[in-house]
Amino acid sequence: MKRSFITEIKGEEEAVLLKGWIYKIKKFKTFAFVSLRDKTGVVQLLLEDLDALENLKTEMAIEVMGVPVKNEKAEGGIEIHIKDLSIIGNVYYDLLPFSINQKKVNTSLEMELDHRYISLRRPDRRAIFKVQEEIVTAFRDYFKGQGFSEIHTPKIIASGTEGGSELFTVNYFDTRAFLAQSPQFYKQMMVGAGFESVFEIGHAYRAELHNTWRHLNEYVSLDVETGFIQDEEDLMNIQQQFIQHLFQHLKSSCEKELKMYALELPEIQEIPRIPLFEAQRILLEVYDKKSPVGNLDAEGEILFSKYVKEKYNSDFVFLTKYPAVKRPMYTMPDEVHEGMTKSFDLIYKGLEITTGGQRIHDYEMLKENIVKFGGNPEDFGFYVESFKYGMPPHGGFAMGLERLTMKILELQNIREATLLPRDMGRITP
Amino acid sequence: MKRSFITEIKGEEEAVLLKGWIYKIKKFKTFAFVSLRDKTGVVQLLLEDLDALENLKTEMAIEVMGVPVKNEKAEGGIEIHIKDLSIIGNVYYDLLPFSINQKKVNTSLEMELDHRYISLRRPDRRAIFKVQEEIVTAFRDYFKGQGFSEIHTPKIIASGTEGGSELFTVNYFDTRAFLAQSPQFYKQMMVGAGFESVFEIGHAYRAELHNTWRHLNEYVSLDVETGFIQDEEDLMNIQQQFIQHLFQHLKSSCEKELKMYALELPEIQEIPRIPLFEAQRILLEVYDKKSPVGNLDAEGEILFSKYVKEKYNSDFVFLTKYPAVKRPMYTMPDEVHEGMTKSFDLIYKGLEITTGGQRIHDYEMLKENIVKFGGNPEDFGFYVESFKYGMPPHGGFAMGLERLTMKILELQNIREATLLPRDMGRITP
């Protein structure tokens, strides 16, 4: 007999074979209700053999043959009258580390992360990673659809892209290597190598000494780079179209999950593009809020998002024209605004989720800019070398998958949006 | 004017805007042919202004406005009469490290890898990564279509899965961590955590002291794990169906690339499943070839593939029932064949491309097996712990993306199938 998934049951089958975990057990005088959970949902089983109940415990993996019967009182309108039940995955615990079949979880985030194999069994926790998976699907489908090529670039590298202070070191045979902070150099290289437009879904590593609600030391970076652009406006157009596609995709693929989090995603219209200096001026004038040189701080991002929401009814805002001193040496200078660059951040509900911009594509200009930044072009080896052979105007951006997931679902901590987070204090499980 | 891609040109347009790189220049008395290459193909441009030629050099990035004219002698049957040409990405070289517009490349693989940003401009090199990309697409589409969930698990881990000798160490703040050899523990954990069926496309790291044509120290692992299986036959069924889907997908998506490599992919029928001991017996009887205990060596894999090809007309063969001593401690023992396991390898054209099997899912049995292997269950921390909470029967397999690409295209060295390989002697570019 072929296995049925819970949400597939129509109630008209003569019998169904179900597999899953015991979610809840509720004993009555002459029978018991056993809730069965599989990856699609939960269904109520009617158990009339109370002797069998003695062997059952929540979270056991079981296999059940039973008859579906319509019952309006049961979740989903169907219950299953058990004909045969066998335990296929035993349990060896006295008490679960925390209960998972109650509305509220009686535990801390740290405890949940320590026991991810338990906490993820909660449908609301599982829902986060369904949404995350669909973000990745939307990303891949959108960019493949636009003719971008998916690449896989090395994470073990010989030197850092943006200075060495936030790099993890790897002992690589007889030498020292690093974990890549981003695929920046490689995605640019592949644009020049003829791929023209590329994307990558891969890990990035930051040895940052931050242990906050929005920092991870290992995260999944959604990277995009494309050649033959006019300027950074092209890139913001692409980013905006992707966000529009993403929200459409999530609405249709994650209806259940969004409902679980009581969220309704808006139609994404035009995302405002506001120069950073203008945002700083507004923050000062409207909120009396001072900003650091060439950036907004965390509070500024939140306040400015609030302003944009009120004024433009947009959860998103592009901050543009970051000053050169605050961007990496490969960022294309803005020819109109002295000292500024053709770069941008995308702020979503008060948090930066994207950094992007046009890159310098001319070999001589790149070398000059490295010198201007106090560096030596020779230290950049193959990176600078690759610009000798006809690099077209290009640029791109990168989004943090976990940040995007967190903000879409309005979670409080980025670790909630990470299957198995890595931070300053955690490398297990 | 909107950019056209080369393969989109119909020859009936009044004018087209093209962007790309100068592939070849051929000067005649009163005109020149300039070949333009973009990510879709190559087209011949007719340049009548010979003065302009002086500024042009191969591999420059250019933008061309021109009139398409049918010309049967030109590649693709169309040539473009240039109306306007501008250089948008300059070159700064005297000689290319090696020529890329000739039929043969006058260089070594090492030189090509040193200058990947040049070698990948060759259409035949680029084709390899188109095929690789479509392997990934086929993998993802197939498993998503089967209801598997895509996951991203950490590559920074606290301890190894299969012994510590082949692990790279990472300096992780004040502690020592490792790079994951595989997502084995995590994919099993997610099956148990309610995902049921998962796949992952991610890097894996092996600090192996091998520098051969088939070894990489960083590679992309295509991982699959699924719960509620009967036994390893289920897994081989899944693997076989995927291979069937993959070959169908490549035939339709990579027609041009397969033609470039003069390859015709076969229809995949039933893949033979032969116990290892049987394969060893055949090797000895037919080829007088001795095998190491519990395995085939590289020569044995090649010989046995030849045997299977002749006898079953299959490029693929499953070797089954590997002895327990040669498999990891989590491998499910075979209850019929003493000392053997419910595991398998998939050999393709003489090379192992998949390792898989059913895993032990019972907590007590797993602990016993670890002890039997001379280990201490307590050393396995969260891994063993996660088996206390109802782990269903499960198993899975992993394929190396670069190996699969190499064998499909019949390349000689795995580095040819890697954008930027990492081996004992190479961490750049």
Side-chain angles (χ1 to χ4, degrees):
Chain A
M1 192 169 181
K2 202 172 160 277
R3 174 190 182 184
S4 298
F5 286 102
I6 286 169
T7 52
E8 292 170 359
I9 308 170
K10 300 219 179 337
E12 292 145 9
E13 300 87 345
E14 275 185 32
V16 290
L17 175 67
L18 300 175
K19 301 183 184 195
W21 290 267
I22 297 178
Y23 190 46
K24 287 181 192 173
I25 300 174
K26 216 168 165 183
K27 197 181 163 182
F28 297 89
K29 263 194 186 159
T30 58
F31 66 94
F33 284 135
V34 175
S35 287
L36 180 75
R37 186 189 69 242
D38 72 12
K39 69 175 179 182
T40 69
V42 173
V43 70
Q44 178 171 294
L45 312 176
L46 174 71
L47 181 69
E48 289 175 311
D49 172 11
L50 284 183
D51 290 342
L53 198 63
E54 278 176 32
N55 300 316
L56 301 185
K57 207 165 165 179
T58 53
E59 295 312 315
M60 274 179 172
I62 61 170
E63 198 176 284
V64 173
M65 218 272 291
V67 180
V69 176
K70 298 204 175 171
N71 177 352
E72 281 185 14
K73 283 187 203 161
E75 195 184 327
I78 292 171
E79 68 179 22
I80 311 289
H81 293 195
I82 298 177
K83 295 296 156 200
D84 194 41
L85 183 154
S86 46
I87 297 163
I88 56 174
N90 217 336
V91 293
Y92 299 85
Y93 71 84
D94 292 323
L95 268 179
L96 289 176
F98 42 84
S99 106
I100 57 168
N101 59 14
Q102 307 295 313
K103 279 224 166 142
K104 290 238 169 197
V105 195
N106 55 344
T107 190
S108 64
L109 177 58
E110 286 302 307
M111 270 294 276
E112 280 199 52
L113 296 177
D114 284 343
H115 300 88
R116 256 316 195 194
Y117 37 94
I118 303 294
S119 74
L120 289 168
R121 298 179 183 204
R122 280 185 63 93
D124 59 347
R125 299 299 187 268
R126 178 68 187 86
I128 296 169
F129 297 96
K130 166 68 175 168
V131 170
Q132 184 163 89
E133 189 185 347
E134 294 305 330
I135 294 173
V136 173
T137 297
F139 178 74
R140 186 182 292 124
D141 289 353
Y142 180 76
F143 285 99
K144 268 196 91 94
Q146 298 292 314
F148 286 61
S149 299
E150 185 173 7
I151 56 171
H152 305 278
T153 66
K155 304 310 163 203
I156 293 181
I157 57 168
S159 57
T161 49
E162 293 158 42
S165 67
E166 292 176 345
L167 290 167
F168 288 113
T169 56
V170 181
N171 305 306
Y172 193 79
F173 300 111
D174 296 332
T175 184
R176 192 179 69 152
F178 303 96
L179 292 180
Q181 288 175 301
S182 95
Q184 182 62 35
F185 287 2
Y186 296 127
K187 63 180 184 171
Q188 289 186 256
M189 186 193 286
M190 293 310 149
V191 166
F195 287 66
E196 291 194 21
S197 298
V198 297
F199 69 92
E200 179 164 7
I201 300 158
H203 279 107
Y205 299 90
R206 305 268 163 123
E208 293 178 323
L209 294 167
H210 294 305
N211 221 355
T212 78
W213 59 275
R214 63 200 175 118
H215 284 95
L216 291 170
N217 297 105
E218 177 184 59
Y219 70 97
V220 176
S221 183
L222 306 176
D223 265 277
V224 173
E225 196 79 11
T226 180
F228 300 105
I229 58 168
Q230 279 303 317
D231 54 31
E232 80 277 27
E233 299 291 330
D234 283 354
L235 303 170
M236 286 187 272
N237 293 343
I238 295 170
Q239 168 77 85
Q240 176 175 309
Q241 281 153 23
F242 165 65
I243 296 284
Q244 287 164 340
H245 170 80
L246 170 66
F247 274 46
Q248 283 299 337
H249 178 79
L250 292 181
K251 273 187 221 184
S252 61
S253 61
C254 296
E255 209 186 327
K256 192 176 82 180
E257 290 75 15
L258 292 170
K259 213 171 159 184
M260 223 181 259
Y261 280 82
L263 290 171
E264 216 167 304
L265 297 182
E267 288 291 322
I268 305 297
Q269 309 293 337
E270 204 67 29
I271 298 177
R273 301 176 188 188
I274 300 172
L276 177 71
F277 62 81
E278 183 69 15
Q280 290 180 326
R281 192 187 56 75
I282 291 167
L283 280 175
L284 196 63
E285 281 182 13
V286 181
Y287 300 97
D288 198 28
K289 161 75 190 164
K290 282 184 194 160
S291 296
V293 176
N295 213 345
L296 301 189
D297 59 18
E299 194 198 352
E301 287 179 351
I302 293 168
L303 276 179
F304 194 66
S305 277
K306 203 180 130 196
Y307 170 84
V308 169
K309 180 74 182 171
E310 282 164 12
K311 173 134 190 201
Y312 301 97
N313 192 27
S314 173
D315 290 329
F316 291 90
V317 57
F318 283 113
L319 294 178
T320 65
K321 306 208 183 300
Y322 278 77
V325 291
K326 287 290 170 182
R327 294 300 230 195
M329 54 76 193
Y330 50 74
T331 312
M332 181 66 93
D334 190 298
E335 65 276 351
V336 181
H337 302 80
E338 175 75 26
M340 297 181 194
T341 62
K342 292 172 166 288
S343 66
F344 60 88
D345 276 6
L346 180 62
I347 313 290
Y348 174 42
K349 289 183 186 165
L351 185 69
E352 170 217 311
I353 56 160
T354 299
T355 297
Q358 185 174 353
R359 330 295 185 186
I360 295 172
H361 60 276
D362 185 80
Y363 174 68
E364 290 295 349
M365 186 178 180
L366 180 63
K367 285 202 299 182
E368 275 167 33
N369 220 48
I370 290 174
V371 171
K372 213 183 276 178
F373 271 65
N376 181 351
E378 283 175 22
D379 292 344
F380 288 86
F382 69 84
Y383 177 63
V384 166
E385 184 71 14
S386 70
F387 284 77
K388 282 186 179 173
Y389 305 97
M391 187 64 107
H394 68 282
F397 52 86
M399 292 171 278
L401 174 60
E402 297 84 356
R403 281 197 173 192
L404 198 51
T405 312
M406 168 174 66
K407 292 312 284 186
I408 286 174
L409 289 174
E410 300 185 350
L411 306 173
Q412 297 306 308
N413 192 308
I414 196 163
R415 289 159 189 77
E416 295 176 61
T418 314
L419 267 187
L420 299 156
R422 293 297 179 253
D423 62 32
M424 288 183 67
R426 180 180 289 282
I427 49 173
T428 57
Chain B
M1 194 170 182
K2 201 171 161 279
R3 174 189 183 185
S4 298
F5 287 103
I6 287 170
T7 53
E8 291 171 359
I9 308 170
K10 300 220 180 337
E12 291 145 11
E13 299 86 346
E14 274 185 33
V16 289
L17 175 68
L18 301 175
K19 301 182 185 197
W21 290 267
I22 297 177
Y23 190 45
K24 287 180 191 173
I25 300 174
K26 218 170 163 181
K27 196 181 164 182
F28 297 90
K29 262 192 186 159
T30 56
F31 66 95
F33 284 135
V34 176
S35 288
L36 181 77
R37 186 189 69 242
D38 73 11
K39 70 175 179 182
T40 70
V42 173
V43 71
Q44 179 172 294
L45 312 177
L46 174 71
L47 182 70
E48 289 174 311
D49 171 13
L50 285 182
D51 291 342
L53 198 63
E54 277 177 32
N55 300 318
L56 301 186
K57 208 166 164 178
T58 53
E59 296 311 317
M60 273 177 172
I62 61 170
E63 198 176 284
V64 173
M65 218 272 290
V67 180
V69 174
K70 297 205 175 171
N71 176 353
E72 282 186 12
K73 283 186 199 161
E75 195 184 326
I78 292 171
E79 68 179 23
I80 311 289
H81 292 195
I82 298 177
K83 295 296 157 201
D84 194 42
L85 183 154
S86 46
I87 297 164
I88 55 174
N90 217 336
V91 293
Y92 298 85
Y93 70 85
D94 291 322
L95 268 179
L96 289 176
F98 40 86
S99 105
I100 56 168
N101 59 15
Q102 308 294 313
K103 279 224 164 142
K104 291 241 168 196
V105 195
N106 55 344
T107 191
S108 64
L109 177 57
E110 285 302 307
M111 270 293 277
E112 279 198 52
L113 296 177
D114 284 342
H115 300 88
R116 257 313 197 198
Y117 36 93
I118 303 292
S119 74
L120 289 167
R121 298 180 184 204
R122 280 185 65 92
D124 59 348
R125 299 297 186 268
R126 179 67 187 86
I128 296 168
F129 298 96
K130 166 67 175 169
V131 170
Q132 184 163 87
E133 188 185 348
E134 294 304 330
I135 294 172
V136 172
T137 298
F139 179 74
R140 185 182 292 124
D141 289 353
Y142 180 76
F143 285 99
K144 267 197 92 95
Q146 298 292 313
F148 285 61
S149 300
E150 185 173 8
I151 57 172
H152 305 277
T153 66
K155 304 310 163 202
I156 294 181
I157 56 169
S159 59
T161 48
E162 292 158 41
S165 66
E166 293 176 343
L167 289 168
F168 289 113
T169 55
V170 180
N171 304 307
Y172 194 82
F173 299 111
D174 296 331
T175 183
R176 194 178 67 153
F178 304 97
L179 292 180
Q181 289 176 301
S182 94
Q184 183 63 35
F185 287 2
Y186 296 127
K187 63 180 185 170
Q188 289 185 255
M189 186 193 286
M190 293 310 149
V191 166
F195 288 67
E196 291 193 23
S197 297
V198 297
F199 68 93
E200 179 164 7
I201 299 158
H203 279 106
Y205 299 91
R206 304 269 163 123
E208 293 178 325
L209 294 167
H210 294 304
N211 221 355
T212 79
W213 59 275
R214 63 200 175 116
H215 284 95
L216 291 170
N217 296 104
E218 176 184 61
Y219 69 97
V220 175
S221 183
L222 305 176
D223 266 276
V224 174
E225 196 78 12
T226 180
F228 300 105
I229 60 169
Q230 278 303 315
D231 54 31
E232 79 279 25
E233 300 292 330
D234 284 354
L235 302 171
M236 286 187 272
N237 293 343
I238 294 170
Q239 168 78 84
Q240 175 175 309
Q241 282 153 22
F242 165 66
I243 296 285
Q244 287 164 340
H245 169 81
L246 171 65
F247 274 46
Q248 283 299 337
H249 178 78
L250 292 182
K251 273 187 223 184
S252 60
S253 62
C254 297
E255 210 184 328
K256 190 176 84 179
E257 289 76 15
L258 292 170
K259 214 170 161 186
M260 225 182 259
Y261 281 81
L263 290 170
E264 217 167 302
L265 297 182
E267 287 290 322
I268 305 297
Q269 309 293 336
E270 203 68 28
I271 298 176
R273 301 175 188 190
I274 301 172
L276 176 70
F277 62 83
E278 183 70 14
Q280 290 179 326
R281 193 187 54 75
I282 292 168
L283 280 176
L284 195 63
E285 282 181 12
V286 180
Y287 301 96
D288 198 28
K289 161 76 190 163
K290 281 183 194 162
S291 296
V293 175
N295 213 345
L296 301 190
D297 58 20
E299 193 199 352
E301 287 180 351
I302 292 168
L303 276 178
F304 193 66
S305 276
K306 202 180 130 194
Y307 170 85
V308 169
K309 180 74 183 172
E310 281 163 14
K311 175 135 188 202
Y312 300 98
N313 191 30
S314 173
D315 290 330
F316 291 90
V317 57
F318 283 113
L319 294 179
T320 65
K321 305 206 183 301
Y322 278 77
V325 289
K326 289 288 169 183
R327 293 300 229 196
M329 54 74 193
Y330 52 73
T331 312
M332 180 66 93
D334 190 298
E335 65 276 350
V336 180
H337 302 81
E338 175 75 25
M340 296 181 193
T341 61
K342 292 172 167 287
S343 67
F344 59 88
D345 276 6
L346 179 62
I347 313 290
Y348 173 42
K349 291 183 185 165
L351 185 69
E352 172 217 310
I353 55 160
T354 300
T355 297
Q358 185 175 351
R359 331 295 185 185
I360 295 171
H361 61 275
D362 184 79
Y363 173 69
E364 289 294 349
M365 186 178 181
L366 180 63
K367 286 203 298 182
E368 276 166 33
N369 221 48
I370 290 173
V371 171
K372 214 183 276 177
F373 271 66
N376 181 351
E378 283 175 21
D379 294 342
F380 289 86
F382 69 84
Y383 177 64
V384 166
E385 184 73 14
S386 70
F387 284 78
K388 282 185 177 173
Y389 304 96
M391 188 63 108
H394 68 283
F397 52 85
M399 291 172 279
L401 174 61
E402 296 84 355
R403 282 198 172 191
L404 198 51
T405 312
M406 167 174 68
K407 292 312 282 186
I408 287 175
L409 290 174
E410 301 186 350
L411 306 174
Q412 298 305 308
N413 192 308
I414 196 164
R415 289 160 189 76
E416 297 175 61
T418 314
L419 268 188
L420 299 156
R422 293 297 179 252
D423 62 31
M424 288 181 68
R426 180 182 289 283
I427 48 172
T428 55

